[in-house]
Each structure stands twice: as structure tokens, then as C-alpha cells.
């Protein structure tokens, strides 16, 4: 099934124009050219890849996530005031992750150049290096980019012979050092039990602002928002990446590494709203959803809800 074929679902003609769903509104991006009056909006880009998960010794299946998330989005009620375009999928079927990252970066940069907001549907968390590379290409080194990662893992493993889903932010730190730009990274929702002392030490050495999952509760939300404000104030542009394994396993079972504790949606969602309200968010992605491990599409529904939160 192609990406556009999935945009179909329920119709309620008796309720007229107020009964629309995503499948009624999403347009193919490839055919919507700027000279045809294309309005700036959201461009969905799929990264159908779990090569990085395989290399990181995780449970593969995340390559099927973009299509599965689209299926749940198709019947989601439409409440947006901006257009949404589907830019199709970047695939990695030959094991060449570097080439896949390059293709994703090209599409992200193109969408940004045209004034759109790219929202990338991963795929393993190796998606982050491709997403960031596209934003970096678009900005051309202008301004400080802050990376906000909701994640149980730092994903700061050192790249040995190959990149993986555990290395993207170390790769970004290397690229920042090579081009003389600051590495400004926040990792929120870190599970102490899922990160070695070596990773905590690397995060400290790189100046990463991090919060443990146990610190991210509803009662602590005012303090979390204050901390987020301080981080955002240091940045000119923001890239938000959400590793879905940051959520509790009961809410998000369909990931390679379900969380023993996790951070509740009731905390994640107001933080997303706060980031969007800053006016600095340029790019977002979702990572690590694995439809092979899902229960009754429970995780896909949550992923679709987060897409709604990021675009409404």
C-alpha cells in the first residue's frame, strides 16, 4: 500500500464540513508545487527504517511504523487550521543507513526551505541524525539549535564502525564540534536503569541537561516548565524528538524497549504545548514505534494523538 492510499476512512456527510477527518484533508506533497499556490503547512515524512535498531541489538519492526501511524491518523478528527501534506517515505532496505540519512536530510531541508513544518514518522531513533542533518542544512549554521529529546535513553553511544539507534546524538555532537557550533541537548525522561554510568558521564561531559523519569511528574510540572524556559531561552531554533519508549509500557507497549516506569502523557503533552508556544520549534519527529509489538493498535493510537498535539 502506498502512502496516499492509506488516507481513507469514515465519512459523516450528514454533519457537513465540520465532520472532516485527516483522510479528507491530507494532500500529496510531491504534487503540490509552490507555484500552484501551495500554502505553508505540515509535511509528514516517513522514515521506514529500523537498520539502526538491528545494529543496536534491539527488536526490529519499526520500519512499519510510518504506515501504521498514518492508518490511525486517517480517521482522526480534523481540527487543524493549516494544510497537511504527505511527503512519502524514505526507506532503508539495503542496509545503507548513511544513504538513508542523506535522503531524509534532503527532504527535511526541502520542506523547511519552502516554509513548511516537517514532522518525521520513524522508524528507529536513528531517525534523529537524518532529521537534525536536514535542519542543519537548511539553517546553514545560522543560530543555535536546541535539541529536546523525550526519551528513556540518552542515545549517546559512541559510534564505532557503524551508526545505530543508540548513537544519533553522539553523531550530532561530533558534527557540531566539526562545524564549530554548540551542541545544545536536553534529554528528558531518562531511566537510570537503562543507561550505564559511562553514558551519564558522557552526557555530563557534553553539557547535556537531563531529567530522570522519576522527576517528571504532574506535581513537578511548574518546575519542569521553568527548566524548559531556561533551556529554550538559550536557543534560536528547536528540534523536538520523541522516543515513544519514554512513555509507560501500559500506554506504549509497542516499542523495542518498553519502560518500566516512564513519563505520563499528562506530563509530556503540556511540555509539547509549551515548546510549540515558544515559536522556535522548526522540526519534530517520533521514533521507535514497532507495530509488530503493539497490542490492539494501542501504541499507534498514542502516536497519532501526539501527531495531533504537534500540529493542532
Amino acid at each position: 500500500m502506498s502512502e496516499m492510499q492509506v488516507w481513507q476512512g469514515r465519512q459523516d456527510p450528514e454533519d457537513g464540513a465540520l465532520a472532516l477527518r485527516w483522510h479528507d484533508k491530507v494532500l500529496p506533497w510531491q504534487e503540490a508545487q509552490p507555484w500552484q499556490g501551495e500554502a505553508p503547512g505540515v509535511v509528514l515524512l516517513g522514515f521506514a527504517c529500523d537498520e539502526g535498531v538491528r545494529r543496536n541489538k534491539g527488536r526490529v519492526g519499526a520500519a512499519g511504523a510510518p504506515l501504521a501511524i498514518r492508518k490511525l491518523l486517517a480517521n482522526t478528527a480534523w481540527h487543524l487550521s493549516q494544510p497537511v501534506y504527505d511527503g512519502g517515505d524514505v526507506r532503508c532496505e539495503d542496509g545503507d543507513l548513511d544513504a538513508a540519512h542523506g535522503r531524509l536530510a534532503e527532504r527535511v531541508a526541502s520542506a523547511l526551505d519552502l516554509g513548511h513544518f516537517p514532522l518525521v514518522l520513524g522508524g528507529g531513533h536513528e531517525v534523529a541524525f537524518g532529521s537534525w542533518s536536514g535542519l542543519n542544512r537548511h539553517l546553514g549554521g545560522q543560530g543555535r539549535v536546541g535539541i529536546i529529546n523525550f526519551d528513556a535513553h540518552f542515545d549517546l553511544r559512541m559510534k564505532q564502525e557503524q551508526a545505530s539507534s543508540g548513537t544519533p546524538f553522539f553523531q550530532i555532537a561530533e558534527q557540531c564540534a566539526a562545524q564549530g557550533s554548540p551542541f545544545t541537548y536536553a534529554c528528558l525522561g531518562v531511566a537510570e536503569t537503562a543507561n550505564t554510568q559511562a553514558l551519564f558521564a558522557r552526557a555530563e561531559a557534553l553539557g547535556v541537561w537531563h531529567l530522570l523519569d522519576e522527576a517528571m511528574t504532574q506535581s513537578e510540572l511548574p518546575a519542569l516548565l521553568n527548566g524548559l524556559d531556561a533551556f529554550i531561552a538559550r536557543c534560536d531554533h528547536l528540534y523536538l524528538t520523541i522516543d515513544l519508549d519514554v512513555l509507560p509500557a501500559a500506554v506504549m507497549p509497542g516499542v523495542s524497549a518498553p519502560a518500566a516506569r516512564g513519563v505520563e502523557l499528562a506530563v509530556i503533552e503540556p511540555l509539547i504545548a509549551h515548546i510549540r508556544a515558544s515559536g522556535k520549534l522548526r522540526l519534530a519527529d517520533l521514533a521507535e514505534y514497532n507495530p509488530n509489538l503493539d497490542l490492539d493498535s494501542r501504541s499507534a493510537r498514542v502516536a497519532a494523538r501526539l501527531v495531533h498535539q504537534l500540529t493542532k
Side-chain angles (χ1 to χ4, degrees):
M1 179 179 288
S2 71
E3 291 84 5
M4 288 308 300
Q5 287 176 323
V6 81
W7 297 109
Q8 52 186 295
R10 177 171 172 159
Q11 300 282 354
D12 294 316
E14 68 276 12
D15 288 329
L18 296 180
L20 297 180
R21 293 177 168 80
W22 277 57
H23 69 82
D24 295 304
K25 300 291 290 184
V26 175
L27 301 169
W29 182 43
Q30 297 94 326
E31 298 174 12
Q33 300 296 335
W35 56 84
Q36 293 176 330
E38 174 184 313
V42 176
V43 173
L44 298 177
L45 297 169
F47 190 63
C49 172
D50 53 15
E51 174 64 19
V53 176
R54 184 190 65 78
R55 294 179 185 182
N56 202 32
K57 303 179 177 63
R59 297 185 291 175
V60 297
L67 195 60
I69 295 172
R70 284 184 180 95
K71 286 181 179 179
L72 263 295
L73 273 174
N75 253 348
T76 297
W78 180 263
H79 291 278
L80 279 66
S81 58
Q82 60 185 328
V84 174
Y85 306 98
D86 192 334
D89 286 349
V90 170
R91 303 181 185 279
C92 183
E93 297 173 334
D94 57 1
D96 191 343
L97 182 55
D98 291 342
H101 277 152
R103 293 193 298 274
L104 177 60
E106 183 178 353
R107 291 199 194 181
V108 167
S110 178
L112 287 163
D113 290 345
L114 292 171
H116 297 302
F117 176 72
L119 178 49
V120 185
L121 308 176
H125 214 174
E126 64 267 27
V127 66
F129 185 68
S131 293
W132 175 88
S133 296
L135 178 59
N136 188 53
R137 184 180 303 183
H138 165 72
L139 293 173
Q142 299 300 308
R144 179 190 287 258
V145 177
I147 303 166
I148 300 173
N149 179 24
F150 293 125
D151 201 337
H153 308 87
F154 283 117
D155 287 342
L156 282 169
R157 295 184 185 277
M158 296 178 68
K159 182 181 175 183
Q160 300 296 327
E161 294 182 1
Q162 293 182 312
S164 76
S165 61
T167 66
F169 302 105
F170 184 77
Q171 293 173 261
I172 293 170
E174 287 187 316
Q175 289 293 311
C176 287
Q179 66 191 35
S181 58
F183 177 60
T184 310
Y185 176 39
C187 191
L188 309 181
V190 174
E192 191 172 52
T193 53
N195 296 268
T196 64
Q197 291 184 50
L199 290 169
F200 275 96
R202 189 166 301 129
E204 183 176 358
L206 290 169
V208 177
W209 175 46
H210 76 274
L211 293 173
L212 296 180
D213 51 5
E214 59 201 51
M216 296 186 65
T217 62
Q218 291 186 61
S219 63
E220 291 297 317
L221 196 53
L224 297 178
L225 292 172
N226 287 337
L228 199 54
D229 279 337
F231 180 86
I232 291 172
R234 298 164 51 201
C235 307
D236 301 298
H237 312 283
L238 296 175
Y239 158 41
L240 172 62
T241 179
I242 303 174
D243 187 323
L244 295 169
D245 70 21
V246 74
L247 295 163
V251 175
M252 184 56 57
V255 290
S256 179
R261 179 189 177 102
V263 181
E264 298 288 346
L265 270 175
V267 175
I268 295 289
E269 288 185 337
L271 296 179
I272 290 174
H274 202 69
I275 292 165
R276 292 190 65 226
S278 73
K280 296 180 179 181
L281 184 62
R282 309 288 180 249
L283 164 70
D285 61 36
L286 302 180
E288 295 289 337
Y289 169 54
N290 185 333
N292 296 345
L293 304 173
D294 205 355
L295 301 174
D296 194 29
S297 297
R298 188 184 306 168
S299 302
R301 295 178 195 280
V302 175
R305 179 181 172 89
L306 289 172
V307 171
H308 174 76
Q309 297 295 106
L310 285 162
T311 55
K312 68 176 183 178

